[in-house]
Amino acid sequence: MKTLSVPIPNLNSKEVGYFRYGVFDKEVLLTNDAGEWQFLSEEDFHHLIAGELSAEHPQYAELQSKGFLRKGLDIEELATRVRRKKSFLGQGPHLHIVITTLRCNQSCKYCHASRADMDRVDTDMSLETARHAVDLAMQSTSPYVCFEYTGGEPSINMDVIRFMVEYSREKNRHEKKYLDHSIVTNMTYMTEEKADFFIDNDIWVCTSLDGPENVHNWNRGWRNQNSAYESVVYWIKRFREKYIARGRDPELYHVDALMTTTRKSLDRWKDLIDLYVSLGIRNIHLRPLNPFGFASKTWKVIGYSMQEYMEFYEKALNYILELNEQGVQIMEGTAATFLKKILRPDDPNFVDLRSPIGSGTGQLAYNYNGNIYPSDEGRMVAAMGDEFFLLGKLGQTTYDDVVQHSTVKTLALSSILDSLPSCHSCWNAPYCGVRPLHNYMQYRDLFAQRPLTPKCHEHMSISKLLFSKIKNDKSENTLKIFRRWIIDRPRE
């Protein structure tokens, strides 16, 4: 981002609508709370601010329709667009993260959870606790509820997963919600029986694939010394075979994969993407390290600066776009989330990228022992010895007490961009979201100094990168690719 090359003239408030702005090279980007945006030349921007933009200007009608001009503004219609963009505010928690066990057979260098040895059956969630989790989650005012099973390695405790799938569906005969189930598994404990259960019950399956064999195995060591990479790749392919054998569309029914970036990944972006393409994975979700668990202890070995990560990310995104231009169907998941906020009238309600943050209001996490947290990050903080984010106990704390907990209110307060200095005037505010739990882990301050935080750097850099590509896309090929990335096709 750059500054304007000439001073801003006096504002003619009678002519100009409310917006924020930023400068891209010699053009100015306008944004507003409805998520609308428009590029203007510096000269036209100055005419706009001064109230001197002619009605004959080729962009006048578009600026007017998007709410950047007061003249002819339909304030009720603009308010409807803002209301639509913020419709998630009244929905309630839709994502319910269930830690079925802390037991895990891997030893990942960046593990965010407090994994336990395989003989620690005391860290398995009980059926009684699982019942309470379903009972509480199904009270959510959200019309959509998704149970996400994680751990440890969640598939170690299949009894709880089977029970929660069956029990939640039984309850849903009365609740009438749109109900989903998903599992985040390392695939090293997978069996044919488990795979068939997940497929037959339409459970979304997500795994971790950090790159080529030497990268993945270095990041995600398997305690029995076998190749974790070989197991993950085998089961990704096996699931694909099973879906096809059942007549399922492989574009909709497939294993999703998350990629966590360590220092060993930074120069392997091309190999990583080629691997995903070769396995038929349509969505690669690139992620930087988080400051939780073992990652905070091994940072000198696996860590990097956010600047280094963004250089990696930009190279990867450029290569993904090159492949798309050649007809290869693959998208980058983080970019797709931002693009949904930029290009669609509805917000995707991604709990970690909204204002306020979804912790406690869009998601809840249930530990194996019944402790309730506003998000899985809150549970991770607790695993490091700090129960700051504990909301209550399953079977003891009511749903109303959980969602109205003072900690949930504080997390919302500390993440409403309109009230945060520097965020309130940032052009990226309609597409961004701050992470109070990350701020707490890194600075012991829920608010922190946003422009100095790694997440601010990441979110701002990704938005700038995407808007720059849109602005410089004279043939609109890139925009066509981006619009394809934001299409959600339901499995039905």
Side-chain angles (χ1 to χ4, degrees):
M1 297 295 289
K2 298 183 179 180
T3 58
L4 292 167
S5 58
V6 292
I8 298 177
N10 291 329
L11 173 67
N12 187 334
S13 59
K14 294 182 180 180
E15 296 288 337
V16 181
Y18 174 77
F19 59 81
R20 304 173 179 92
Y21 74 92
V23 183
F24 284 66
D25 298 323
K26 291 188 177 181
E27 290 191 65
V28 181
L29 175 67
L30 313 182
T31 68
N32 64 20
D33 288 338
E36 302 285 5
W37 54 272
Q38 185 75 27
F39 278 105
L40 284 177
S41 68
E42 281 196 17
E43 181 181 0
D44 288 339
F45 176 69
H46 282 78
H47 288 314
L48 172 70
I49 290 294
E52 298 170 353
L53 194 69
S54 169
E56 282 71 44
H57 189 279
Q59 291 177 279
Y60 188 91
E62 193 170 10
L63 288 165
Q64 191 176 54
S65 68
K66 292 179 178 179
F68 295 119
L69 292 167
R70 284 184 183 271
K71 189 174 182 180
L73 175 64
D74 186 340
I75 191 66
E76 291 299 327
E77 196 275 334
L78 181 61
T80 298
R81 277 184 275 168
V82 175
R83 188 182 304 114
R84 181 175 178 178
K85 203 72 170 178
K86 290 289 188 178
S87 61
F88 59 80
L89 288 175
Q91 291 184 5
H94 67 274
L95 177 61
H96 298 266
I97 300 171
V98 182
I99 291 78
T100 66
T101 181
L102 294 186
R103 289 193 284 162
C104 188
N105 55 344
Q106 284 199 286
S107 181
C108 302
K109 287 182 170 61
Y110 54 73
C111 182
H112 299 152
S114 55
R115 64 172 183 257
D117 291 336
M118 291 294 288
D119 59 354
R120 288 287 307 278
V121 294
D122 59 304
T123 68
D124 288 358
M125 178 178 280
S126 69
L127 293 182
E128 181 183 8
T129 300
R131 180 185 295 274
H132 289 314
V134 173
D135 288 341
L136 190 142
M138 295 298 283
Q139 293 179 58
S140 174
T141 51
S142 173
Y144 170 68
V145 166
C146 177
F147 290 96
E148 179 182 294
Y149 306 106
T150 185
E153 168 47 43
S155 67
I156 291 172
N157 193 355
M158 282 298 295
D159 287 345
V160 156
I161 295 175
R162 289 191 181 96
F163 170 78
M164 293 187 70
V165 170
E166 294 169 3
Y167 181 52
S168 63
R169 288 177 176 169
E170 178 63 26
K171 286 187 72 73
N172 202 42
R173 292 173 60 187
H174 306 285
E175 300 294 343
K176 308 295 184 184
K177 295 182 182 295
Y178 189 101
L179 184 62
D180 261 340
H181 296 267
S182 67
I183 183 169
V184 181
T185 169
N186 62 30
M187 290 293 195
T188 61
Y189 209 73
M190 189 60 61
T191 65
E192 293 287 336
E193 180 185 0
K194 292 177 183 178
D196 288 338
F197 175 81
F198 297 141
I199 293 173
D200 293 340
N201 285 276
D202 287 329
I203 296 173
W204 296 86
V205 179
C206 182
T207 190
S208 291
L209 181 58
D210 286 355
E213 186 167 10
N214 63 334
V215 176
H216 184 88
N217 287 342
W218 188 82
N219 284 354
R220 304 179 60 83
W222 194 355
R223 292 185 176 185
N224 66 4
Q225 303 304 311
N226 290 337
S227 171
Y229 171 86
E230 290 181 1
S231 181
V232 171
V233 169
Y234 170 81
W235 282 108
I236 288 174
K237 294 178 178 179
R238 187 72 180 115
F239 269 92
R240 181 179 177 85
E241 292 170 357
K242 286 175 175 287
Y243 283 127
I244 292 175
R246 286 166 169 78
R248 309 284 181 84
D249 182 350
E251 289 193 11
L252 298 177
Y253 292 85
H254 51 75
V255 173
D256 285 324
L258 300 172
M259 180 271 172
T260 301
T261 309
T262 64
R263 175 161 292 280
K264 200 172 184 70
S265 318
L266 293 179
D267 61 351
R268 302 296 299 275
W269 48 271
K270 186 176 185 299
D271 297 333
L272 165 72
I273 296 161
D274 287 341
L275 171 63
Y276 271 63
V277 171
S278 72
L279 293 172
I281 300 175
R282 300 301 182 95
N283 183 1
I284 177 170
H285 192 154
L286 303 176
R287 303 186 303 170
L289 287 168
N290 287 328
F292 298 96
F294 295 131
S296 63
K297 300 177 182 178
T298 59
W299 192 266
K300 289 184 179 180
V301 177
I302 66 175
Y304 41 77
S305 68
M306 186 52 69
Q307 180 64 37
E308 290 175 300
Y309 173 76
M310 286 312 306
E311 290 171 0
F312 156 84
Y313 181 89
E314 183 170 1
K315 292 174 184 175
L317 182 65
N318 287 339
Y319 183 52
I320 290 170
L321 287 172
E322 287 179 22
L323 292 176
N324 274 262
E325 290 174 356
Q326 297 167 18
V328 177
Q329 298 293 315
I330 185 170
M331 69 179 182
E332 199 288 301
T334 304
T337 300
F338 275 90
L339 289 167
K340 288 175 182 178
K341 297 173 78 72
I342 292 169
L343 298 176
R344 294 201 321 200
D346 300 288
D347 190 278
N349 197 10
F350 184 69
V351 290
D352 292 333
L353 195 68
R354 44 170 262 193
S355 172
I357 193 73
S359 300
T361 55
Q363 66 175 321
L364 292 170
Y366 312 108
N367 206 2
Y368 74 96
N369 60 4
N371 284 352
I372 306 169
Y373 299 95
S375 66
D376 200 30
E377 287 86 353
R379 191 262 306 191
M380 294 172 191
V381 173
M384 299 173 72
D386 187 346
E387 289 283 12
F388 185 83
F389 297 102
L390 179 65
L391 302 181
K393 191 87 168 180
L394 288 170
Q396 299 176 16
T397 311
T398 68
Y399 172 81
D400 286 346
D401 286 343
V402 169
V403 296
Q404 295 180 26
H405 196 283
S406 58
T407 298
V408 173
K409 295 176 181 178
T410 302
L411 288 169
L413 179 65
S414 60
S415 60
I416 297 175
L417 301 183
D418 290 327
S419 64
L420 297 177
S422 74
C423 294
H424 76 291
S425 59
C426 179
W427 62 268
N428 196 36
Y431 320 111
C432 193
V434 300
R435 304 285 288 276
L437 283 93
H438 281 239
N439 294 340
Y440 180 82
M441 277 301 300
Q442 293 178 293
Y443 309 106
R444 282 296 184 261
D445 179 1
L446 290 175
F447 291 85
Q449 298 295 317
R450 268 82 51 205
L452 303 180
T453 63
K455 276 298 168 188
C456 179
H457 186 168
E458 178 192 358
H459 292 170
M460 181 70 81
S461 297
I462 292 174
S463 286
K464 285 194 292 187
L465 180 60
L466 295 174
F467 270 114
S468 292
K469 290 189 176 299
I470 292 172
K471 180 176 74 72
N472 297 320
D473 182 28
K474 305 306 180 185
S475 64
E476 295 194 354
N477 286 338
T478 300
L479 189 57
K480 290 178 182 177
I481 293 170
F482 284 167
R483 292 196 181 280
R484 189 169 67 243
W485 288 7
I486 66 173
I487 297 173
D488 292 326
R489 291 179 58 198
R491 281 183 168 182
E492 293 79 31

